[in-house]
Amino acid sequence: MREFSGATVVVSGAAAGLGRALHGFFDSLRSEVSAAGVAVMLACPSFIATDIDRHALGPDGSPFRGAKALVGKPATPEAVADRIYEAARRERRLLLPGATARLAWWLSRLTPAGYARIMTARMRR
């Protein structure tokens, strides 16, 4: 049995532009460090039920008063953390916890322009 010697866990959005860049970077990193026994996993949850939006600011710097844009039911932070821990323990390369995360990931790869249109329309609501 091989001893697990380390892991890098990256938490990123499932499909955002910056997330796609991070995915490419960490996929490359994985190929460089795997021989040293270091696993690299991307965890891409969708919406997590936190109060982070309570302190969000609007475009003018004042407190944001709009509705939070959600797709699907938000997961609890504990549930997401448990899924990430188990996936890292099993040395998975990618974790897409929940149907919304899986759908966003696949749509963004199969039809990037279509995914961008859907997300832009969602954010305007």
Side-chain angles (χ1 to χ4, degrees):
M1 191 156 129
R2 180 172 78 79
E3 183 179 336
F4 187 74
S5 61
T8 297
V9 176
V10 182
V11 180
S12 169
L18 180 58
R20 300 267 317 253
L22 285 172
H23 294 201
F25 174 80
F26 286 102
D27 285 342
S28 295
L29 178 66
R30 180 184 301 114
S31 66
E32 293 179 22
V33 299
S34 64
V38 177
V40 176
M41 181 185 79
L42 292 163
C44 306
S46 54
F47 295 97
I48 303 172
T50 68
D51 287 333
I52 196 168
D53 58 314
R54 281 191 357 192
H55 303 289
L57 300 177
D60 63 356
S62 65
F64 180 71
R65 300 282 183 228
K68 186 190 314 189
L70 290 176
V71 177
K73 182 180 176 190
T76 67
E78 297 81 8
V80 173
D82 287 345
R83 296 279 311 271
I84 291 172
Y85 173 79
E86 280 303 314
R89 192 176 67 75
R90 294 180 179 153
E91 297 187 42
R92 293 210 21 213
R93 297 169 50 101
L94 177 66
L95 173 66
L96 302 168
T100 302
R102 287 188 296 276
L103 179 61
W105 194 87
W106 279 107
L107 274 176
S108 72
R109 273 129 187 98
L110 296 174
T111 176
Y115 177 79
R117 280 192 303 276
I118 292 167
M119 292 309 293
T120 300
R122 285 261 183 209
M123 297 307 287
R124 288 185 182 149
R125 287 185 191 177

